[in-house]
Amino acid sequence: MVVIIMDDLAMLRLWQLISPTLPVGAYAYSGGMESAVEQGQVVCETMVYEWVSGLLTEGLGRNDLPMFFMMLRGWQQEDLTRLEQLNQKLQAMRETKELLAEDRHMGLALQRLLHDLGVSEASRLEVPSFVSIYSLACHYWHIESSTGAAGLAWSWMENQIAAAIKLVPLGQTAGQRLLQKLSLDIHATVNRAANLSEDELGQSLPGLALLSAAHENQYSRIFRS
């Protein structure tokens, strides 16, 4: 008989949380990539690598990942006031209507799912960002902080590559090459994010904001952002 110890069970819960089958609608969003492809800024495998790597290190690594660590501590300390403050601050950092809607839609979807799975604390935030509820899941399922942050980065990255395969388009093998190469950036990005203070939060990606805003009126599109 195989006995699953708590650490193994926590890892399995992380796999569940970052699985592409998690019903939060991540597949519906490109995070601005669709506009980048439309405008000829991302048209090959090399450009996809540069796009995703840049957003990982200078976007996710300066907003969502450090916020994850702060929010995880908030859940551990049961500090709802602090969690609400961080949740509102993260949503205020979304620079366009589409990026904010993406965050809220995925956050609400994960909130409903966790509530249905018996995580009653999920209802404590009224309009959660995705990271707010993801950090709760990691707290509830005893997922180690750095591992949970790496899982968040991987899940986001995998969705970006899935979008690129459809949009550029790329072959499946090219997608796997990109995942293999980009995964090398996760460890350093997570380590830096874990040590950022709240005063150091914030990305500077004006190109992403402009592309995301342009996507709102793009003539033909298959993604919601």
Side-chain angles (χ1 to χ4, degrees):
M1 181 178 68
V2 176
V3 178
I4 299 179
I5 63 175
M6 181 55 68
D7 286 347
D8 291 334
L9 185 57
M11 185 61 71
L12 292 174
R13 290 289 178 263
L14 176 62
W15 294 349
Q16 179 181 1
L17 194 57
I18 66 175
S19 169
T21 65
L22 191 76
V24 296
Y27 65 89
Y29 302 99
S30 78
M33 184 185 292
E34 187 164 25
S35 282
V37 172
E38 172 74 13
Q39 295 188 23
Q41 296 186 35
V42 177
V43 296
C44 66
E45 183 176 337
T46 298
M47 289 181 171
V48 172
Y49 171 78
E50 292 171 350
W51 169 271
V52 178
S53 178
L55 291 187
L56 173 65
T57 57
E58 301 305 321
L60 207 74
R62 293 191 177 275
N63 272 2
D64 299 65
L65 291 178
M67 275 289 195
F68 164 78
F69 285 105
M70 295 175 192
M71 289 176 173
L72 183 60
R73 288 192 291 272
W75 289 114
Q76 291 167 344
Q77 297 164 5
E78 299 184 358
D79 189 344
L80 187 60
T81 300
R82 173 66 169 161
L83 286 164
E84 283 285 6
Q85 177 192 37
L86 292 172
N87 181 64
Q88 292 175 16
K89 185 170 186 174
L90 181 56
Q91 292 187 42
M93 291 177 175
R94 305 308 183 196
E95 296 180 294
T96 66
K97 180 176 68 175
E98 284 196 350
L99 292 175
L100 177 60
E102 174 184 346
D103 192 13
R104 287 180 170 176
H105 290 164
M106 289 179 58
L108 288 168
L110 184 56
Q111 182 185 53
R112 290 191 296 269
L113 175 63
L114 290 183
H115 187 270
D116 290 344
L117 293 176
V119 185
S120 59
E121 295 92 331
S123 60
R124 297 184 71 181
L125 293 177
E126 186 174 352
V127 184
S129 70
F130 181 77
V131 174
S132 303
I133 296 300
Y134 178 92
S135 62
L136 168 60
C138 288
H139 165 62
Y140 189 85
W141 287 330
H142 305 289
I143 297 168
E144 190 273 329
S145 60
S146 293
T147 305
L152 178 63
W154 173 267
S155 179
W156 171 86
M157 186 176 71
E158 189 174 35
N159 189 64
Q160 284 282 289
I161 298 305
I165 288 172
K166 297 174 185 176
L167 291 168
V168 173
L170 298 176
Q172 295 291 337
T173 301
Q176 292 302 309
R177 275 196 303 268
L178 284 164
L179 285 172
Q180 187 175 36
K181 187 177 181 181
L182 286 161
S183 64
L184 300 176
D185 296 332
I186 288 180
H187 180 70
T189 303
V190 166
N191 282 344
R192 185 185 67 178
N195 294 301
L196 289 181
S197 68
E198 189 171 352
D199 290 339
E200 295 175 296
L201 293 179
Q203 63 187 26
S204 180
L205 297 171
L208 172 64
L210 290 170
L211 288 166
S212 176
H215 188 263
E216 295 174 8
N217 299 303
Q218 190 166 313
Y219 174 71
S220 176
R221 62 185 191 175
I222 60 176
F223 289 93
R224 296 179 66 182
S225 77

